[in-house]
Amino acid sequence: MSDLPPKTSIKRWLVTTNHKDVGTLYLATALFFLVLGGMMALLFRAQLWQSGGTGILSGDGFNQAVTAHGLIMVFWFLSPIASGFANYFVPLQIGAKDLAFPRLNALSYWFYLFSGIMIALSFFQGGTFAGGWTMYAPLNVPTYTPAVEATTGGTITVFALILFVLSITLGTINFLVTIHRSRAEGLGLWNIPLFTWSWLLTVWMMLFAFAALLAALLLLGIDRVMMTQYFATDQGSGLLWAHLFWFFGHPEVYIVFFPALGIMFETFQTFCGRRLVGRKWVIIAMVLVAVQSFLVWMHHMFLTTINLEIKTLIMATTIGISLPFDLMVFALIYTMVKGRVRFTTPFLFSLGALVLFILGGITGVFLGAVVLDYEFRGTYWVVAHFHYVMVSGVTALIAGLYYWWPKISGKMYSEKLGKLNFAVYFFGFNLLYFPMFLAWETPRRVFHFGESMQIYHQMATVGAFVLATSFAIMFITFGHSYLYGPKAPDNPWKYSRTAEWAIPSPPPLDNWSGRPSYASGQLEFVDDAAKATDGGVATETPAAQQEEEHADHASIWPFGIGLGTFVTFIGISGLTPYVYDFMESAVEAGNAEIANGLPAGPDAEPNIMFPILTVIGLMILTYTLFKFGVEEFNAPEMAIAERWPFGGIDNTKMGVWVFLASDVVVFGAAIGAYVFMRIHMGWTEWETIPFASWPGLLNTYILLTSSFTVILALVMAERQNKKGLLATLGATMLLGFAFMGVKAYEYSVKFGDGDYWFSGLEYSLYYVTTGLHALHVILGLIVAGFMIYRVLSIDAYLEDHRPVEYFGLYWHFVDIVWVFLFPLFYLV
Amino acid sequence: MTRVDVFEDIFLVFLALGTLVGIIVVSYTLYNAYKYRDTEDRTDDKDLPALGELPTGGGSGKKLFVSFILSAIVVIALIVWTYGMLLYVEDGPDELDEDAIEVDVQGSAFSWSYEYDNGLEPNELVVPADEPVQISVTSTDVWHTFGISQERVKADAIPGEHDETWFIAEDPGEYENAIECFELCGAGHSSMDDDFRVLEDQEAYEEWVDEQFTLDITLEDEDEEPVTEGVDELTLVHQEEEGHEYAYDGDEFENGSITINEIDQGGDYDVEITPEGDEFEPVEESIVFTGPSDETFTLESPEDEEDDEENNEDEGDDETDNDEEGGEN
Ligand code: HEM
Ligand SMILES: [Cu+2]
Ligand SMILES: [Cu+2]
């Protein structure tokens, strides 16, 4: 399976796991979504030409366009295009051959692509989600009012987002392990290039922020499909969503901006011919921002009922977080001083990005002052502010496109066209977004505004079309270069310093011929084999060298898993009408009670296609996951690498730890939701849902025992005792099944009493939180079953017992979560 | 100080400083980019990056820090300065506690409704000029945001939450669509506007209130003829608030009608009509009185029972009538 087909064959792109291929796929797909999101914007800008709308969109159509624009731009364009650059260049910049888990990397891409297809499909299932990219509750669920109709398309949007977040999570784990553990010899963390630094911090932020979003989306998806009530009540639902969303949402704005910032640092250094001023301080500033980004989310909620003390605190942290940006801006400016500034296209875009960012940052300070925010909240001021900052990021990302285009394509582009592109872009940008400051009294997401505002909105609309033209010029420039451009040298930029410029354009599949090393303080390619035959010191390296020759690059299963998940998710999204019918008939027959009465139903009738898709999807998923699991795929760890601070563990173990860290946040958010809702309701007013505490207690004993059997399994594997390993794994599974059995009994007793997950908020919290945990147990059981199969079929884990250890980590984690859930739901 | 004043003060200072800082920093940026453009005769080769080197910081961190600290001082000073104003906006002016007008605002897809503390529920927001108004905002369905841009007042309308704030209107007038919704709330969000009316002064406002509290009551017999005799007394009793009990003698009616102006608390009232003699049955009804109303009661003859339903229908019509009138006034 090792050889990759040539780039001209479609098969190549379906099976590739190579980081540069995946990077290219990311870049191309992201640009496609840029066009799609742009179309949405042109559509509603046309509607905004006159107050009351030009009539090309209905009220709901307008909301759909605005919402889809926001979601697509933030999730399907901005983050992925940065992922594309990171996939392509982070391994090159740190001297790695590939990411730590190449197949997972391909899987992230397929999840991303399929999630994008899902949101495109959502338009055709009763309309896509129309509640804004912030998806405020209770507009985001079928409520107890006629204000919303829960379309299947809306639910597909939510599941598209879930799939997207899964893609992000996989990518995050992959990059964290790669950057921490695959750096070339001599390349300490301090010394990695700034683009890689910015990406490292981005993925750290992503790990926690997207986990919170995942939890929020899971609850939302369950609300929409199973008719639970997390976001449907007037008992704190609105605020709960706002907290969960913005806990993710604020870090997200830095997540999309940091990679752009990294590109600005790189391009400023290169095109100013000067090392970045205050490099260490810049890195420290970025670290500070990354940490603080989790402490400011409530500045999006100043107008809600949060109290003055909290507002004050958040105002302070918000101002605090803007200061490190000052430092970064000044560092960029001073880097030009005494430099040799060359106005190439990438530099023009970077410089433009800096100017726009300064303006956006200044207007952000206005919003940080709570009194002013009271007036600006929900208006075009906010729209103008965040476009100045976010699209400043886009500007820098375009700089990145021009900067790295010669490396990726092997062709030079026309500077003339590039400069024209910049001129039109910069003019269009300001014509589009600056009038929004002047029209600031207009509420967001409306097309009714005062007469006096109309002129500004018309300017903005013209600007939007100019900006769109500039993107057309960009595509033409790249197309022209690809067809007619002169061949690019290895390093077309004077004064660039990062390693990607030291190899051919485009780079060979294996990146390097020798082993990159900075041991001498300067990039060198070491020929380990030659050294060894010379009688060199390194004794383990020849073996490593040999191993690397076996590195595999092709696997179709990531694509298959992506497809299976896609089909499954589409299927699940259309199940709401069935659940609703069940609920309706249960209520009518007197078998179920609902606290607030029967909610408004979904928009669609039951359609047998959806259950069928769910089943087909699950079948594809089972098959492809199994094939993925048994496939021989060798992605060797670098024998010699800088690994601080994770030198003590291997790649997979670090991956598992990182994954568990994100899962802690997912459960944290779910448990947080419980605590929040319960406090909102009055802690003691809560009635305990389980019919008795003994099933919980029993299950606690069962799980703790199973933790013990997993430890024994590891001991057996270490002793190479096959029978013992089978017995202990089998016992673990049995205990897992016992746990699920008790759970099923407990649920069925509740159902018998007429208490379902849709019966009321407390019931939703109970069923969903314990259900989420049960889902983890089930996933654990599936893995355990697979492991037993592997032991039986190929005597697995007797030589290398580490997978048993990793499984144990996961299993212990699931047990620990239960130790928290038990008292919360059964005792207090 | 009104919220418009507070906003103006802060916004102007921010705008002036923001523009100044923006111009200085951007000009300085462009100046440097131009000044240090690459020309043939540049010889100063300090800090030139080289391919494959390990990064070292380019010098002169001092300048960086001086600029950083300067900018930090500006930003922090600005924010601290606004904090006093925030406290003022949070608490409101002193008069707010005493006798401010209080209005409960409710958003529902896709309109606003208002309930004054005196029980009035007019169809538009009407306030006197120069008097503080306390509002408490909530929603019956999804998240809306209530806002009047010209008064610089805004509050989230979240189901189950009551967001309190205040404003003082200064310029009398009728403002079309001055009340807007600032949070996406569904298909009708874009046009979820409402009119806003500011009256001359407190006196004009009280007049308006009195006008709102006009209750016309007409008594008819089954043939829709005004009842001029046979009524002893009509009483009105507020269902919740004590001290709002009113009684009118039969002879206070003129040609079967009476206009009542003395009530100053809106809400649900129990109506009892006690007949004199046995021409009519007694009447016990309840009415909603939240704005100018016209109520007609049909007095039935004792043996007749079937017309009951018609009676109720009349009631219903009357109520819708009320609401419209409230709006027009
Ligand atoms: C310079 C420091 C910054 C400050 C003090 C700041 C402050 C704020 C505040 C207070 C809000 C909430 C406004 C409201 O809804 O009432 C906001 C909104 C926003 N900011 Fe910033 N910001 C800064 C920089 C940035 C950056 C760097 C980005 C992204 C690249 C960004 C992206 C956004 C976005 C996307 C929103 C609006 C989200 C929404 O409601 O849809 N901001 N900013
Ligand atoms: Cu924020
Ligand atoms: Cu609205």
Side-chain angles (χ1 to χ4, degrees):
Chain A
M1 283 287 269
S2 160
D3 283 335
L4 275 177
K7 284 193 182 175
T8 44
S9 96
I10 291 188
K11 185 165 174 232
R12 154 81 167 233
W13 300 100
L14 294 179
V15 300
T16 186
T17 64
N18 179 268
H19 73 97
K20 293 181 295 301
D21 288 352
V22 175
T24 311
L25 286 170
Y26 260 109
L27 290 173
T29 314
L31 287 173
F32 170 77
F33 282 106
L34 166 71
V35 174
L36 192 66
M39 304 285 238
M40 297 289 145
L42 292 181
L43 206 59
F44 66 71
R45 276 308 334 166
Q47 169 80 347
L48 282 161
W49 181 256
Q50 66 189 48
S51 178
T54 42
I56 59 170
L57 289 172
S58 65
D60 186 53
F62 180 81
N63 291 347
Q64 285 187 40
V66 171
T67 304
H69 165 73
L71 289 173
I72 290 175
M73 286 305 198
V74 171
F75 292 109
W76 280 280
F77 162 60
L78 260 171
S79 274
I81 196 171
S83 288
F85 286 132
N87 260 290
Y88 208 109
F89 294 107
V90 162
L92 294 181
Q93 290 198 332
I94 63 176
K97 287 212 159 178
D98 207 326
L99 289 181
F101 312 109
R103 284 192 305 169
L104 281 191
N105 193 30
L107 184 56
S108 332
Y109 171 73
W110 293 114
F111 275 177
Y112 159 53
L113 178 72
F114 281 116
S115 71
I117 297 176
M118 276 181 83
I119 192 166
L121 285 179
S122 70
F123 285 93
F124 306 104
Q125 289 293 328
T128 188
F129 189 81
W133 88 280
T134 48
M135 299 182 281
Y136 267 25
L139 186 60
N140 54 5
V141 291
T143 53
Y144 295 81
T145 74
V148 232
E149 285 196 323
T151 60
T152 306
T155 311
I156 292 181
T157 311
V158 173
F159 278 86
L161 280 164
I162 292 177
L163 189 53
F164 178 80
V165 176
L166 294 181
S167 152
I168 291 277
T169 307
L170 290 178
T172 305
I173 295 169
N174 216 338
F175 274 107
L176 283 173
V177 174
T178 306
I179 300 177
H180 280 297
R181 294 189 34 89
S182 307
R183 280 171 279 129
E185 186 187 9
L187 194 63
L189 210 47
W190 271 115
N191 290 332
I192 58 179
L194 279 159
F195 175 70
T196 301
W197 248 117
S198 73
W199 186 250
L200 175 63
L201 292 170
T202 303
V203 283
W204 272 116
M205 284 190 284
M206 277 184 176
L207 183 72
F208 300 112
F210 273 90
L213 179 66
L214 180 61
L217 289 169
L218 284 175
L219 303 182
L220 178 57
I222 294 169
D223 263 9
R224 290 184 71 106
V225 173
M226 300 300 286
M227 307 296 289
T228 49
Q229 296 192 8
Y230 273 90
F231 301 117
T233 71
D234 58 4
Q235 299 156 48
S237 290
L239 289 178
L240 173 66
W241 176 264
H243 281 297
L244 287 175
F245 182 83
W246 288 119
F247 183 79
F248 148 78
H250 188 84
E252 170 68 1
V253 308
Y254 299 138
I255 286 169
V256 299
F257 193 69
F258 263 36
L261 203 57
I263 291 173
M264 282 157 79
F265 291 134
E266 298 283 352
T267 47
F268 264 70
Q269 288 194 121
T270 299
F271 296 108
C272 296
R274 194 142 183 263
R275 299 191 184 105
L276 187 71
V277 170
R279 185 178 194 274
K280 275 206 170 136
W281 294 108
V282 166
I283 293 172
I284 290 172
M286 287 204 290
V287 174
L288 273 179
V289 168
V291 173
Q292 271 193 61
S293 69
F294 289 93
L295 304 172
V296 302
W297 80 90
M298 277 182 270
H299 66 215
H300 298 271
M301 301 169 66
F302 281 147
L303 264 195
T304 65
T305 43
I306 56 177
N307 64 32
L308 180 64
E309 288 74 25
I310 296 180
K311 284 180 192 167
T312 307
L313 187 71
I314 296 297
M315 182 174 96
T317 54
T318 299
I319 292 314
I321 206 168
S322 75
L323 298 180
F325 278 109
D326 291 4
L327 190 133
M328 295 184 226
V329 165
F330 286 120
L332 283 170
I333 296 176
Y334 291 134
T335 300
M336 292 190 293
V337 174
K338 302 218 176 78
R340 295 162 161 247
V341 180
R342 281 150 300 139
F343 293 94
T344 56
T345 307
F347 183 71
L348 282 174
F349 272 101
S350 288
L351 184 63
L354 176 63
V355 169
L356 300 174
F357 185 70
I358 291 170
L359 300 181
I362 291 176
T363 57
V365 174
F366 283 57
L367 294 170
V370 183
V371 204
L372 289 184
D373 181 76
Y374 283 165
E375 324 304 343
F376 287 138
R377 168 90 191 138
T379 70
Y380 265 74
W381 185 279
V382 176
V383 179
H385 154 68
F386 76 69
H387 280 93
Y388 260 86
V389 274
M390 279 223 206
V391 189
S392 148
V394 175
T395 314
L397 289 163
I398 299 175
L401 275 180
Y402 276 103
Y403 182 57
W404 280 313
W405 172 261
K407 179 58 59 187
I408 297 174
S409 71
K411 298 286 178 66
M412 292 308 289
Y413 60 88
S414 149
E415 275 294 341
K416 243 191 222 139
L417 279 173
K419 283 181 177 139
L420 175 71
N421 179 8
F422 174 72
V424 178
Y425 177 93
F426 199 73
F427 174 72
F429 179 107
N430 286 293
L431 186 59
L432 168 55
Y433 297 121
F434 195 79
M436 292 185 186
F437 284 121
L438 306 176
W440 76 264
E441 283 189 11
T442 320
R444 286 173 81 166
R445 299 151 169 170
V446 305
F447 50 88
H448 292 81
F449 40 79
E451 291 292 310
S452 56
M453 307 284 167
Q454 184 155 311
I455 179 72
Y456 303 127
H457 285 290
Q458 294 189 340
M459 287 161 77
T461 300
V462 174
F465 282 88
V466 176
L467 192 65
T469 311
S470 80
F471 281 104
I473 299 174
M474 182 185 90
F475 285 116
I476 291 171
T477 311
F478 288 136
H480 177 266
S481 157
Y482 192 73
L483 295 176
Y484 311 113
K487 201 177 159 356
D490 289 5
N491 180 13
W493 314 122
K494 225 163 140 191
Y495 310 132
S496 63
R497 44 156 296 262
T498 47
E500 73 267 29
W501 302 111
I503 54 172
S505 311
L509 186 67
D510 279 331
N511 296 351
W512 337 96
S513 36
R515 176 173 62 81
S517 163
Y518 290 86
S520 65
Q522 171 75 29
L523 177 63
E524 279 171 348
F525 295 104
V526 187
D527 187 346
D528 285 319
K531 233 195 204 168
T533 44
D534 281 0
V537 265
T539 43
E540 37 160 24
T541 38
Q545 183 78 7
Q546 238 173 15
E547 217 175 77
E548 286 192 21
E549 274 159 21
H550 288 302
D552 290 313
H553 288 298
S555 170
I556 189 65
W557 305 117
F559 172 80
I561 295 171
L563 180 71
T565 316
F566 167 72
V567 176
T568 311
F569 276 19
I570 297 255
I572 292 175
S573 303
L575 296 182
T576 318
Y578 288 97
V579 177
Y580 188 79
D581 283 358
F582 167 74
M583 167 165 138
E584 199 174 28
S585 57
V587 170
E588 271 163 18
N591 295 334
E593 283 167 30
I594 302 183
N596 304 329
L598 200 65
D603 191 32
E605 290 297 308
N607 181 341
I608 191 72
M609 181 184 88
F610 291 105
I612 292 177
L613 282 178
T614 312
V615 173
I616 293 179
L618 285 174
M619 278 158 46
I620 300 177
L621 208 49
T622 312
Y623 179 70
T624 50
L625 276 172
F626 177 76
K627 291 301 243 183
F628 186 93
V630 298
E631 184 178 43
E632 288 284 335
F633 191 93
N634 187 19
E637 267 186 39
M638 281 163 70
I640 302 177
E642 295 297 326
R643 302 199 160 124
W644 189 87
F646 297 101
I649 50 179
D650 66 70
N651 279 359
T652 315
K653 190 164 185 177
M654 180 177 169
V656 172
W657 275 115
V658 172
F659 163 72
L660 290 180
S662 85
D663 217 10
V664 166
V665 177
V666 174
F667 271 112
I671 294 174
Y674 161 87
V675 172
F676 180 86
M677 292 307 231
R678 185 162 170 181
I679 289 175
H680 203 271
M681 159 180 311
W683 188 264
T684 48
E685 247 129 84
W686 176 271
E687 52 171 311
T688 308
I689 304 295
F691 65 92
S693 54
W694 67 259
L697 189 63
L698 180 57
N699 265 344
T700 310
Y701 284 125
I702 292 177
L703 275 192
L704 290 181
T705 316
S706 75
S707 261
F708 182 64
T709 56
V710 164
I711 294 173
L712 282 183
L714 180 57
V715 174
M716 290 303 164
E718 277 168 350
R719 289 191 192 153
Q720 309 206 344
N721 178 341
K722 182 172 170 183
K723 275 203 188 122
L725 179 57
L726 283 173
T728 44
L729 279 177
T732 309
M733 275 190 84
L734 279 181
L735 289 164
F737 281 123
F739 176 89
M740 294 307 294
V742 173
K743 182 115 280 186
Y745 172 70
E746 186 184 312
Y747 280 10
S748 66
V749 170
K750 289 308 288 180
F751 294 159
D753 293 344
D755 296 333
Y756 288 86
W757 54 90
F758 47 72
S759 293
L761 184 57
E762 288 134 298
Y763 297 95
S764 300
L765 286 161
Y766 158 74
Y767 281 109
V768 174
T769 317
T770 56
L772 189 65
H773 176 264
L775 184 70
H776 277 72
V777 175
I778 293 173
L779 292 179
L781 285 173
I782 292 174
V783 174
F786 178 75
M787 294 179 81
I788 290 180
Y789 165 80
R790 294 293 272 174
V791 177
L792 287 171
S793 59
I794 59 160
D795 287 349
Y797 320 126
L798 299 177
E799 298 285 297
D800 178 2
H801 58 262
R802 287 177 303 176
V804 180
E805 188 187 348
Y806 307 145
F807 170 68
L809 286 178
Y810 172 81
W811 194 260
H812 294 319
F813 167 73
V814 175
D815 294 354
I816 290 169
V817 170
W818 181 255
V819 172
F820 282 93
L821 294 190
F822 171 57
L824 278 178
F825 281 97
Y826 293 77
L827 299 180
V828 296
Chain B
M1 207 161 51
T2 68
R3 294 191 64 169
V4 179
D5 299 334
V6 172
F7 177 79
E8 221 83 307
D9 279 4
I10 303 182
F11 184 56
L12 284 182
V13 172
F14 269 65
L15 202 58
L17 267 176
T19 314
L20 190 72
V21 171
I23 289 176
I24 292 177
V25 177
V26 171
S27 320
Y28 184 63
T29 306
L30 297 179
Y31 163 78
N32 278 325
Y34 180 75
K35 179 170 176 206
Y36 295 104
R37 70 193 180 282
D38 194 26
T39 48
E40 293 304 313
D41 52 315
R42 294 289 313 286
T43 49
D44 185 3
D45 272 353
K46 206 174 137 224
D47 264 339
L48 280 180
L51 183 59
E53 70 179 7
L54 278 181
T56 44
S60 74
K62 212 191 255 165
K63 216 161 147 193
L64 187 63
F65 272 94
V66 173
S67 329
F68 168 67
I69 286 170
L70 272 181
S71 75
I73 290 175
V74 172
V75 171
I76 293 173
L78 269 178
I79 298 294
V80 170
W81 170 66
T82 64
Y83 192 69
M85 308 274 213
L86 173 63
L87 294 182
Y88 172 72
V89 168
E90 287 290 300
D91 287 345
D94 295 340
E95 309 96 294
L96 202 57
D97 309 326
E98 293 148 25
D99 44 14
I101 299 161
E102 286 169 32
V103 187
D104 287 338
V105 179
Q106 227 179 35
S108 333
F110 301 96
S111 63
W112 300 104
S113 58
Y114 315 95
E115 186 182 343
Y116 285 62
D117 50 354
N118 58 14
L120 282 183
E121 292 181 21
N123 268 16
E124 64 182 332
L125 187 59
V126 177
V127 300
D130 304 321
E131 298 288 334
V133 179
Q134 167 95 49
I135 57 173
S136 166
V137 182
T138 188
S139 160
T140 58
D141 41 40
V142 298
W143 188 320
H144 307 271
T145 299
F146 173 86
I148 315 175
S149 290
Q150 66 190 52
E151 307 304 343
R152 304 287 180 240
V153 61
K154 206 180 280 161
D156 279 345
I158 309 171
E161 302 285 318
H162 294 269
D163 200 2
E164 306 211 333
T165 189
W166 62 276
F167 67 94
I168 301 173
E170 282 191 310
D171 301 319
E174 295 205 26
Y175 303 101
E176 254 181 53
N177 297 337
I179 294 169
E180 293 170 294
C181 177
F182 288 82
E183 186 59 65
L184 183 58
C185 56
H189 165 62
S190 184
S191 49
M192 189 169 158
D193 316 314
D194 217 342
D195 297 342
F196 172 56
R197 195 140 64 97
V198 184
L199 303 173
E200 282 323 296
D201 49 18
Q202 182 70 16
E203 214 172 292
Y205 174 73
E206 272 158 22
E207 236 168 68
W208 174 80
V209 169
D210 284 345
E211 235 171 77
Q212 294 294 303
F213 281 123
T214 309
L215 178 58
D216 287 314
I217 293 181
T218 308
L219 306 181
E220 291 177 352
D221 64 18
E222 281 150 315
D223 305 322
E224 301 191 6
E225 292 294 318
V227 172
T228 48
E229 256 162 55
V231 173
D232 175 39
E233 192 190 46
L234 178 146
T235 58
L236 290 165
V237 180
H238 199 286
Q239 287 179 358
E240 280 141 31
E241 310 253 339
E242 296 205 358
H244 293 281
E245 296 172 11
Y246 308 89
Y248 304 95
D249 271 355
D251 28 299
E252 285 180 66
F253 284 76
E254 241 173 73
N255 199 24
S257 298
I258 186 171
T259 299
I260 301 168
N261 275 322
E262 64 181 318
I263 303 181
D264 59 2
Q265 177 65 48
D268 295 349
Y269 278 87
D270 285 326
V271 183
E272 268 187 55
I273 305 174
T274 326
E276 198 175 40
D278 50 11
E279 194 181 341
F280 300 113
E281 291 274 329
V283 174
E284 278 186 35
E285 294 266 353
S286 99
I287 59 167
V288 183
F289 180 44
T290 57
S293 307
D294 218 335
E295 300 285 349
T296 303
F297 298 100
T298 307
L299 301 184
E300 296 173 4
S301 314
E303 54 301 319
D304 208 319
E305 274 170 19
E306 288 197 4
D307 280 355
D308 243 19
E309 275 179 35
E310 235 175 76
N311 227 348
N312 288 343
E313 268 169 40
D314 274 4
E315 268 286 327
D317 286 353
D318 273 343
E319 270 172 39
T320 38
D321 255 298
N322 297 342
D323 283 349
E324 270 162 35
E325 265 177 61
E328 274 154 23
N329 280 322

